[in-house]
Amino acid sequence: MAFTWVLAMMVWMGCEGEIGAPVEVIDPHSAAMKEEATVKHLELDLAVDFEQEQLAGTAILELDRSEDATQLLLDSKGLEIESVMISPNGRTTSPTEFSLTDEDPILGSSLQVALESNTRFVHIQYKTTPGAKALQFIPGNLNPSGKPFLLTQSQAIHARTWVPIQDSPGIRFTYEAKITVPQGLMAIMSAENDTVLHEDGVYQFTMDQPIPAYLLALAVGELEFQALGNRTGVFADPSVIDDAAYEFAEVEQMMEIAEGLYGAYRWGRYDIVVLPPSFPFGGMENPRLTFATPTILAGDRSLVSLIAHELAHSWSGNLVTNATWNDFWLNEGFTVYFEYRIMEALKGRDYSEMLASISLSDLQKEVAELGVGSPDTRLAVDLTGRDPDDGMNAIAYEKGYYFLRLLEETVGRPAFDAFLNEYFSTFAFQTMNTEQFVAYLETHLLDPQDLDPEDIKLEEWVHGAGIPDNLPKAKSKRFDAIEEAISAWIAGQDLYQYPTAEWTSHEWLRFIYLLPDAAKPEQMAELDRIFGFSDRTNCEVLCKWFVKSVTTHYEGAYPAMERFLLSVGRRKFLTPIYTELMQTSEGKELAYQIYEKARPTYHPIAVETLDETLDWPSAVQLSEAN
């Protein structure tokens, strides 16, 4: 059968019960045809080659298939397929025909494998190729330990760049793996992990719970482990393992809070690995093993809400997963809500309300940048024909959070908590799309409360653009005090009367956010002298300070800003600083000078974003022409 993206983009989501029979769900970012054949188990045997920056080995795929299926369609991007064999039992193999379609810039190629009537296993010998977007090989001279490091980032559709797989969040599989690495390095995965170094460099892994491909993860490097509790721990470079263990000391308590809210943790252990600085995200919720940026090691546990967020994903996202990336808000909106509930229980309501206030600011900024009427400000977004990374913005996270908060405030917390408990239990290890969730919401929450969808403007929230006018109001007394301090400073008063020594990082973030863009450089210098912003170790505060410094032309912060951009790879911090620098000709020149030095140390995902932000290819050509 000839392959076309239109015909091959169908997956079936088996959510049974009161909300109806299985519903056909089109995944515009995968070639998989679930009605013919799907992967139910993956067995990997890969060797890691740091010199070639390559993974090589085999993937054995065990299938669920229809009796009349004649082919298996897999997603791949840039993979070198050496051979494909099929088997009825996983042992006796025979060659089969296979082909790769022309490569799409976003989706890659479909690997088409011919099946026989008794085929249950497909064996693929392959190699990754340079530029694989999921892989970052970090040479020893760019890693604090002096040893090389490998990390993967499979979300959203990058698993296909290191494994031939059905790379759709709507398809789940179990897996096992054998990973061979250079002696002296440790390998860990989103699976059951050993916590000690293997002298022979061979590591075995098992993941018995089914996961989608975007949660397939591998890290290799010089790592040590420290336990945080009976079922929690942290892996990190030896130079930061003690700092990491201190920073994450509250994780076991977070776990207990989360289970008290929404039911038992279903993944066995919960461990964290602190990655090198070039990791492009704050965290990645790989099951059993959260990947975390070292930028949260602030020394005062002030940024651990990020860990609360990744832990919450163990329910919202990992346990009940968005069926396609058009439904991304079902992962992230739920997780932000859950994160704030954990932090409220841990730190108090006023603390979580500070987080919610920051969330609102981020949402308002995102809507302003996208445009109030932009279809990209809808929760149910359409990313067909686009990179799903485009949908990973404040709309899914913050608008999703405020919609769930509206539901809670409308029906009351007890009823809403009971609803979420039932939701996570009913659809555990399954997928969910927006339409099914809305139907489930109406049946299991709104109807029992005698609420009409119009009472909460359900359609406007889910399918409408912008921010509905029944947005809940976050209120933080601590932020009110910040606004008072800023007003006093603008009026010429000093800030010594305010208890700034007791402020959390969130209060400092609010303070910097509220500084007027028209502040003079000498005023910024005075604040820097008093509060030492440019010398802070809290990366969240540093980022906000550097952006405001560029806006106000406070060049006294530029040396520290350059050191920051050369040492941090988290895209959340890099993008706003470079974006602000690009607003003036002088700033552009500085941005190009810094980026040319920093670019080789950034992750491919961050490089892709920043190349576009800086119009980097054109900038290089212009520089060479001059």
Side-chain angles (χ1 to χ4, degrees):
M1 179 172 59
F3 172 82
T4 68
W5 283 110
V6 174
L7 293 176
M9 289 175 186
M10 293 186 293
V11 297
W12 291 80
M13 183 175 65
C15 295
E16 309 268 352
E18 295 179 33
I19 60 174
V23 175
E24 182 180 17
V25 178
I26 297 175
D27 184 348
H29 297 107
S30 176
M33 297 187 71
K34 192 174 181 181
E35 71 276 17
E36 289 194 359
T38 57
V39 176
K40 71 175 184 179
H41 183 75
L42 167 67
E43 181 181 344
L44 286 174
D45 187 345
L46 297 175
V48 179
D49 186 334
F50 278 93
E51 289 187 5
Q52 299 296 320
E53 296 191 347
Q54 184 178 73
L55 304 182
T58 59
I60 301 176
L61 313 175
E62 184 179 357
L63 307 182
D64 267 333
R65 52 164 296 177
S66 65
E67 292 184 1
D68 58 352
T70 59
Q71 67 174 342
L72 170 69
L73 296 180
L74 302 172
D75 298 303
S76 70
K77 190 173 185 182
L79 297 178
E80 182 180 326
I81 308 298
E82 298 178 332
S83 67
V84 181
M85 310 286 281
I86 55 176
S87 171
N89 53 23
R91 299 182 299 277
T92 305
T93 61
S94 59
T96 189
E97 293 183 358
F98 68 94
S99 62
L100 285 166
T101 61
D102 292 339
E103 182 157 312
D104 179 273
I106 296 173
L107 304 175
S109 304
S110 169
L111 174 59
Q112 304 172 321
V113 178
L115 304 178
E116 296 180 355
S117 60
N118 65 347
T119 300
R120 288 293 179 270
F121 296 84
V122 175
H123 298 236
I124 303 172
Q125 187 85 21
Y126 73 98
K127 297 178 181 177
T128 63
T129 56
K133 199 170 181 181
L135 305 179
Q136 185 179 23
F137 288 89
I138 303 170
N141 66 320
L142 296 179
N143 191 30
S145 71
K147 299 284 186 70
F149 201 100
L150 166 66
L151 63 91
T152 66
Q153 174 57 38
S154 295
Q155 193 183 41
I157 57 170
H158 309 314
R160 66 191 68 185
T161 69
W162 70 288
V163 180
I165 198 68
Q166 291 173 320
D167 197 5
S168 168
I171 298 176
R172 307 176 77 102
F173 54 87
T174 55
Y175 80 87
E176 58 189 293
K178 174 185 174 184
I179 306 294
T180 303
V181 305
Q183 291 185 344
L185 300 182
M186 181 183 290
I188 52 179
M189 295 190 75
S190 53
E192 292 182 4
N193 285 294
D194 205 340
T195 59
V196 296
L197 182 73
H198 292 193
E199 294 297 335
D200 61 0
V202 178
Y203 295 83
Q204 305 277 352
F205 303 93
T206 301
M207 170 53 86
D208 290 330
Q209 293 100 336
I211 64 168
Y214 79 90
L215 295 178
L216 194 63
L218 168 67
V220 178
E222 184 177 20
L223 295 165
E224 287 188 9
F225 176 82
Q226 279 196 31
L228 301 171
N230 292 331
R231 51 182 172 166
T232 57
V234 59
F235 294 88
D237 183 278
S239 65
V240 299
I241 185 65
D242 290 338
D243 293 338
Y246 171 81
E247 207 77 24
F248 303 147
E250 297 169 320
V251 168
E252 191 75 28
Q253 186 179 356
M254 288 181 183
M255 177 81 80
E256 294 171 359
I257 291 170
E259 289 187 312
L261 286 169
Y262 300 126
Y265 179 76
R266 307 281 288 271
W267 300 93
R269 289 193 58 82
Y270 179 76
D271 295 321
I272 303 162
V273 56
V274 179
L275 297 171
S278 57
F279 182 53
F281 301 112
M284 179 61 209
E285 64 271 17
N286 303 308
R288 302 194 187 194
L289 186 68
T290 281
F291 279 21
T293 171
T295 63
I296 62 173
L297 303 182
D300 58 3
R301 299 175 184 163
S302 60
L303 300 179
V304 293
S305 61
L306 183 145
I307 297 300
H309 182 93
E310 305 309 332
L311 173 62
H313 267 304
S314 301
W315 287 259
S316 49
N318 296 6
L319 194 63
V320 184
T321 308
N322 49 218
T324 75
W325 298 112
N326 290 341
D327 309 297
F328 186 52
W329 77 275
L330 292 175
N331 276 21
E332 295 299 347
F334 277 71
T335 300
V336 173
Y337 176 84
F338 197 169
E339 168 197 349
Y340 293 175
R341 291 292 303 277
I342 292 173
M343 295 310 297
E344 178 182 332
L346 189 68
K347 303 286 188 181
R349 175 70 174 181
D350 206 45
Y351 189 94
S352 64
E353 284 295 87
M354 287 196 294
L355 296 175
S357 296
I358 294 172
S359 176
L360 177 57
S361 297
D362 290 343
L363 175 59
Q364 292 169 331
K365 180 180 178 182
E366 190 76 53
V367 169
E369 291 178 353
L370 292 172
V372 175
S374 169
D376 284 350
T377 62
R378 300 175 302 179
L379 288 180
V381 69
D382 184 4
L383 297 169
T384 303
R386 300 160 58 189
D387 190 324
D389 286 350
D390 292 346
M392 296 182 180
N393 57 30
I395 303 304
Y397 290 76
E398 321 306 352
K399 185 175 179 180
Y401 159 73
Y402 271 102
F403 174 56
L404 297 183
R405 177 168 173 155
L406 172 67
L407 294 175
E408 179 215 298
E409 293 184 359
T410 301
V411 304
R413 182 168 283 187
F416 191 59
D417 281 352
F419 167 77
L420 286 184
N421 265 289
E422 181 185 29
Y423 172 75
F424 289 131
S425 176
T426 301
F427 300 106
F429 300 107
Q430 297 182 53
T431 55
M432 177 63 63
N433 74 359
T434 298
E435 287 67 31
Q436 283 196 305
F437 173 74
V438 168
Y440 186 78
L441 173 70
E442 292 182 10
T443 302
H444 289 75
L445 185 65
L446 301 187
D447 288 352
Q449 298 289 327
D450 293 324
L451 287 170
D452 188 276
E454 286 298 318
D455 294 337
I456 58 169
K457 301 186 177 181
L458 176 61
E459 177 66 17
E460 185 177 346
W461 271 98
V462 175
H463 296 288
I467 303 174
D469 60 13
N470 60 340
L471 179 85
K473 306 299 182 186
K475 189 67 175 175
S476 169
K477 294 180 181 178
R478 290 160 75 169
F479 274 5
D480 290 344
I482 302 298
E483 294 181 10
E484 179 184 334
I486 288 289
S487 297
W489 179 74
I490 292 173
Q493 300 177 28
D494 63 55
L495 297 173
Y496 291 108
Q497 62 179 303
Y498 294 92
T500 58
E502 301 173 7
W503 285 2
T504 66
S505 61
H506 304 298
E507 286 162 291
W508 284 116
L509 289 171
R510 191 68 172 181
F511 177 84
I512 297 170
Y513 174 80
L514 292 172
L515 288 174
D517 290 345
K520 297 178 181 179
E522 52 268 29
Q523 292 177 299
M524 296 290 287
E526 178 67 7
L527 291 175
D528 205 3
R529 184 187 65 80
I530 296 172
F531 299 118
F533 286 120
S534 296
D535 296 324
R536 297 286 181 107
T537 58
N538 186 304
C539 291
E540 295 277 358
V541 173
L542 279 172
C543 177
K544 286 290 190 293
W545 174 249
F546 292 142
V547 170
K548 187 66 72 170
S549 295
V550 175
T551 303
T552 58
H553 307 288
Y554 169 48
E555 296 183 3
Y558 287 9
M561 179 182 69
E562 180 170 355
R563 291 193 296 272
F564 182 80
L565 293 172
L566 289 171
S567 62
V568 170
R570 187 175 173 185
R571 190 172 59 169
K572 173 186 177 181
F573 299 147
L574 302 177
T575 303
I577 297 174
Y578 279 116
T579 299
E580 194 64 26
L581 282 169
M582 293 296 289
Q583 302 310 307
T584 66
S585 57
E586 297 83 1
K588 283 184 181 180
E589 184 176 352
L590 179 59
Y592 292 148
Q593 291 174 1
I594 297 173
Y595 188 57
E596 185 173 15
K597 291 182 286 186
R599 189 175 184 272
T601 71
Y602 294 157
H603 189 280
I605 291 174
V607 167
E608 182 178 56
T609 298
L610 295 172
D611 278 358
E612 182 177 349
T613 300
L614 278 71
D615 193 17
W616 183 244
S618 297
V620 172
Q621 292 169 9
L622 180 62
S623 176
E624 291 174 349
N626 292 333

